[in-house]
Amino acid sequence: MARSIDRQAFVDTIAQGRAYIGGVLQPPPDGLWGIPTDEVKKLPGYDPDVEKNRAEGRRIMQQLGYPPISGWKSR
């Protein structure tokens, strides 16, 4: 599930384009203790390439034996 989220679209919608993608702590430049943006992008599901994240999520689910959901369209 974490790999299917378009985090940039989520942040843009919630904060009306005035926020940054980050982990648990407030991300830089506003937060002092946040993980640098380059490091956040390395976390599972935080790569800005949403389709790549979703493909990896599907691969993981198929590897675990879950079948594809019929009728589901990736956006």
Side-chain angles (χ1 to χ4, degrees):
M1 292 297 292
R3 292 184 184 270
S4 68
I5 299 169
D6 182 341
R7 294 179 191 282
Q8 188 63 56
F10 180 80
V11 168
D12 289 344
T13 300
I14 297 297
Q16 299 176 353
R18 296 186 309 244
Y20 304 98
I21 296 173
V24 176
L25 301 172
Q26 187 179 14
D30 299 325
L32 299 175
W33 301 102
I35 300 171
T37 303
D38 291 342
E39 293 297 316
V40 170
K41 291 177 183 179
K42 296 177 186 177
L43 298 172
Y46 282 85
D47 186 314
D49 186 345
V50 176
E51 287 307 313
K52 177 181 159 190
N53 290 334
R54 290 177 179 167
E56 178 65 10
R58 284 191 290 274
R59 185 192 68 75
I60 290 169
M61 295 301 285
Q62 288 175 352
Q63 188 176 24
L64 293 172
Y66 291 93
I69 299 172
S70 61
W72 176 259
K73 290 185 178 182
S74 179
R75 295 182 179 200

